[in-house]
Amino acid sequence: MYRIYLSVCLIVILASTGCDPKAPPDVSVGTKFRVVTTIGMITDIAKNVGGDRVEVVGLMGPGVDPHLYKASAGDVQKLNSANLIFYNGLHLESKMGDILAKMSGDTKTVAVTGAVDQSLLLTPPEFEGQYDPHLWFDVTLWMKAVGKVRDVLSEFDSDSTVMYWSNAERYLAKLAELHQYVKSQAERVPPQQRVLVTAHDAFNYFGKAYGFEVRGLQGISTATEAGIADVQELATFIAERRIPAIFVESSVSSRSLEAVRAAVKSKGFDVKIGGELFSDAMGNDGTPEGTYIGMVRHNIDTIVSALTGESGIRTSSTAEN
C-alpha cells in the first residue's frame, strides 16, 4: 500500500508540473540551487560546503528516527523540486528506498556513504551481511562524506568549484579538531570503564574509533523490537560489570532502557541514566547540538561525565559549528 501511495504522490506532482521531466537547473552565478537532504548530519555538511550558493532543505528534523521515516506527500514535492539529493544510504533510510530510487531518474541522487571504502564499513553479524549505516560516529569516516558532497557540488556547479573546496577545507579542519577532542575526552575514562550501553546499536563506529565497548538493546535498526530476553541479558551484563550509567537516545523511546534499569535493580545493582545522546538525529536548530560538531561534542562530554562521575567536562567551545 505504501508503494501505491508513493506512486500516486509522484503522479500528482508530475501532473501539476505538466508531466515534463525536470528542467535543467539554473546554476548561473548569483542564482541559488536547491539541495535536499535526508538526515540532519548531511544537511549540516551541505550547508557548510555549499555556503551561500545553495538552498539546503532537510527532510528529517530533531528527534526523527530515519530507520522508520516514511516520506510524506510534502517530502515528495521537496524532493521533486531539488536539483541535487543527498542521502546516507546503507539502508538507513530504508522506508524511503523506493522514492529515492524513483527520484534518481530525473535528479542526481547521491549516497554520501559511497565515498567510504567498503573495507572500513562494519558488518555486524545480526545484520546478516548488511553494513552498519551510522558512519558519522567516527568523525574520520564522516570527513569522507564531506569530500563526497564537495566533489558532487563541484561537478554540478563547476563555476563555484574553488568556493566549495575552500568551504570544505575549512569544515574538514574543524572536523579534524573534533576528532582529536573526542579522542582526548575518551582517554579520561579508564579503559575498563569504557562501556557504552544505549537503546540501539548506533555507536559501533564510535566504539571502534575511540576505544569503547558498545552494547545496544535493539539491533542496528530501531525497526527491530527488543524482547524480554534481550532486556534480561543486557541487565545481567550491566550488573555483572557494575556499569555506572546507561544512555537514552533523542530519537528512540526511553521506555525500553527504563525496563533495563528496573531489571538491573532487581539484580541488586542500581544503574543510572547517564543522560540523553543524539544518535540518528541532531538537536534543535539554533542550539549547539543542532550542528554535527555540537552534537558529537555533547555526546562525548555526556558519556565521559556519566562514566567517570566528573562534572564540568563540557566547554564553551561546544557552540562551535
Side-chain angles (χ1 to χ4, degrees):
M1 289 296 294
Y2 185 63
R3 291 188 179 187
I4 294 174
Y5 162 77
L6 290 177
S7 298
V8 170
C9 287
L10 283 169
I11 291 170
V12 169
I13 291 169
L14 288 173
S16 68
T17 57
C19 296
D20 291 329
K22 185 182 293 295
D26 180 3
V27 292
S28 57
V29 175
T31 302
K32 287 189 176 184
F33 59 92
R34 175 170 286 198
V35 172
V36 174
T37 60
T38 54
I39 60 174
M41 291 70 84
I42 301 174
T43 304
D44 199 58
I45 293 177
K47 288 180 176 179
N48 275 279
V49 178
D52 295 335
R53 193 75 180 91
V54 301
E55 175 193 1
V56 182
V57 177
L59 297 182
M60 303 182 196
V64 173
D65 184 346
H67 298 284
L68 304 177
Y69 189 83
K70 295 181 180 180
S72 66
D75 292 334
V76 175
Q77 289 181 315
K78 291 174 184 175
L79 289 164
N80 191 65
S81 70
N83 301 121
L84 288 172
I85 298 170
F86 290 108
Y87 68 106
N88 188 78
L90 302 178
H91 302 285
L92 178 74
E93 306 97 339
S94 56
K95 295 187 181 299
M96 289 187 65
D98 287 344
I99 191 68
L100 290 170
K102 291 179 185 293
M103 289 298 173
S104 65
D106 292 327
T107 305
K108 190 171 183 62
T109 304
V110 179
V112 300
T113 54
V116 180
D117 190 291
Q118 290 186 352
S119 66
L120 300 175
L121 301 178
L122 299 179
T123 54
E126 66 273 17
F127 222 44
E128 298 182 350
Q130 295 185 15
Y131 296 114
D132 184 337
H134 304 92
L135 271 67
W136 54 87
F137 285 121
D138 179 341
V139 178
T140 62
L141 291 182
W142 202 237
M143 291 169 73
K144 297 180 185 297
V146 174
K148 182 69 171 179
V149 172
R150 174 202 62 205
D151 293 346
V152 171
L153 288 174
S154 297
E155 178 184 354
F156 182 81
D157 176 26
S158 58
D159 289 341
S160 302
T161 294
V162 172
M163 183 196 72
Y164 297 135
W165 276 77
S166 177
N167 289 348
E169 183 177 2
R170 188 180 308 113
Y171 188 49
L172 287 169
K174 291 182 179 181
L175 296 190
E177 292 177 0
L178 176 65
H179 173 64
Q180 292 302 320
Y181 178 80
V182 177
K183 284 184 64 178
S184 65
Q185 288 295 85
E187 290 170 358
R188 298 170 68 105
V189 184
Q192 68 274 15
Q193 291 179 229
R194 292 179 199 163
V195 183
L196 179 62
V197 178
T198 59
H200 83 298
D201 283 336
F203 291 85
N204 288 314
Y205 289 102
F206 169 84
K208 181 179 179 182
Y210 304 111
F212 282 78
E213 181 179 355
V214 175
R215 291 293 185 100
L217 179 59
Q218 295 168 262
I220 299 298
S221 170
T222 53
T224 305
E225 295 289 341
I228 295 175
D230 300 310
V231 170
Q232 290 298 323
E233 180 182 355
L234 185 56
T236 299
F237 171 80
I238 293 168
E240 289 180 349
R241 294 284 297 271
R242 315 294 286 181
I243 296 169
I246 59 180
F247 301 87
V248 298
E249 300 173 40
S250 65
S251 56
V252 182
S253 171
S254 64
R255 289 194 303 271
S256 59
L257 275 191
E258 291 290 354
V260 170
R261 188 184 184 196
V264 172
K265 193 169 186 177
S266 72
K267 298 178 186 298
F269 181 68
D270 190 16
V271 63
K272 68 179 180 180
I273 300 295
E276 182 183 65
L277 304 181
F278 295 95
S279 55
D280 291 340
M282 302 193 306
N284 292 322
D285 290 342
T287 67
E289 296 79 14
T291 69
Y292 173 71
I293 291 175
M295 176 192 80
V296 173
R297 293 181 69 98
H298 165 90
N299 282 353
I300 188 61
D301 291 343
T302 300
I303 292 166
V304 173
S305 178
L307 293 183
T308 63
E310 299 178 20
S311 60
I313 288 175
R314 296 187 66 190
T315 67
S316 61
S317 56
T318 302
E320 182 182 4
N321 57 44

